[in-house]
Amino acid sequence: MVAASFSHVRAWVFDLDNTLYPPGARLFDQIEVRMTAWVQAALGVDAARADHLREHYWRTYGTTLAGLMAEHDVDPLPYLGAVHDIDLSHLEKAPDLAAHIRALPGRRIVYTNGSEPYAQRVLAARGLDGLFDSVYGVEHAGFRPKPEQAAFEAVFALDGLDARQGAMFEDDMRNLAAPHAMGMRTVHVAPAPHPADHIHHHTDDLTAFLSQLV
């Protein structure tokens, strides 16, 4: 029955962080430390204030970067390079996940609020490189972040993707509202379900979920 809900899908769009690797990898523990340090140095504030601003901007603007650009006119490229310079050596290969992604009919895409070079590193560490037709980062949306619908529209226009034939897999439920409004099938990938009108499916195991579709 789940497969029938995806029979029309010809574009499979995957978020990266905590979606194509498990939350237990805790990459954001490293990223958040680097974000706080960057904010502290760039704005000349103490660590506590920097950590508060990091969280505040994420909640208000969708990403810390978006808040820094809106309120402090920061250059996004040095920031992205600095905060994503993390250790990926503990990420495990995912051959079963790779096989199920490879079997999906149509285009397979990664779209992350991180940068495209960072996404490529994570995919390689997970053994998922070479599976996707395109990998898009926040830079491809003019640094507009998900959950803004304009960000999705920019990336999908660049890709030539018809949202009505697409499915979106995301760990952040905020980032599924715009895809749902655009006509996509939405899948919340997270340890616990959070029922909402814009979420069609939930899974805590992406590999097992995809195994039902092909």
Side-chain angles (χ1 to χ4, degrees):
M1 291 180 65
V2 173
S5 299
F6 292 82
S7 61
H8 67 293
V9 173
R10 292 298 177 269
W12 308 84
V13 185
F14 294 88
D15 177 47
L16 181 77
D17 290 307
N18 297 326
T19 300
L20 289 176
Y21 64 81
R26 305 191 70 85
L27 295 191
F28 262 86
D29 286 4
Q30 296 184 64
I31 292 172
E32 287 174 359
V33 168
R34 298 186 72 84
M35 286 179 174
T36 298
W38 199 96
V39 171
Q40 184 176 1
L43 303 187
V45 297
D46 63 25
R49 178 62 177 167
D51 195 51
H52 167 77
L53 289 174
R54 175 191 60 75
E55 174 78 10
H56 170 68
Y57 291 155
W58 176 78
R59 292 193 179 279
T60 304
Y61 292 95
T63 62
T64 300
L65 174 59
L68 288 168
M69 292 179 69
E71 299 200 12
H72 303 282
D73 197 30
V74 305
D75 183 346
L77 293 178
Y79 169 90
L80 288 169
V83 303
H84 290 133
D85 185 18
I86 63 170
D87 177 26
L88 304 178
S89 61
H90 64 292
L91 284 182
E92 297 179 355
K93 302 290 186 183
D96 291 343
L97 177 59
H100 292 310
I101 291 173
R102 187 179 294 109
L104 294 171
R107 287 182 63 75
R108 300 178 297 271
I109 296 161
V110 172
Y111 173 29
T112 174
N113 269 342
S115 68
E116 186 262 344
Y118 163 69
Q120 296 285 9
R121 289 180 58 221
V122 172
L123 293 174
R126 287 285 279 161
L128 303 178
D129 47 330
L131 295 179
F132 296 96
D133 297 286
S134 294
V135 177
Y136 297 107
V138 67
E139 64 269 38
H140 295 102
F143 299 101
R144 284 182 173 271
K146 299 181 281 184
E148 291 185 29
Q149 185 162 326
F152 288 95
E153 290 171 346
V155 167
F156 293 172
L158 187 62
D159 193 77
L161 185 155
D162 181 352
R164 295 167 297 180
Q165 296 182 336
M168 185 79 206
F169 297 80
E170 262 278 359
D171 73 298
D172 189 338
M173 60 185 295
R174 300 180 304 170
N175 296 344
L176 291 171
H180 181 272
M182 298 166 73
M184 300 184 82
R185 202 77 190 163
T186 58
V187 184
H188 186 211
V189 184
H194 296 276
D197 290 344
H198 64 278
I199 295 173
H200 293 122
H201 307 273
H202 165 264
T203 184
D204 62 359
D205 186 335
L206 180 61
T207 302
F209 188 87
L210 293 179
S211 73
Q212 303 175 68
L213 304 184
V214 291

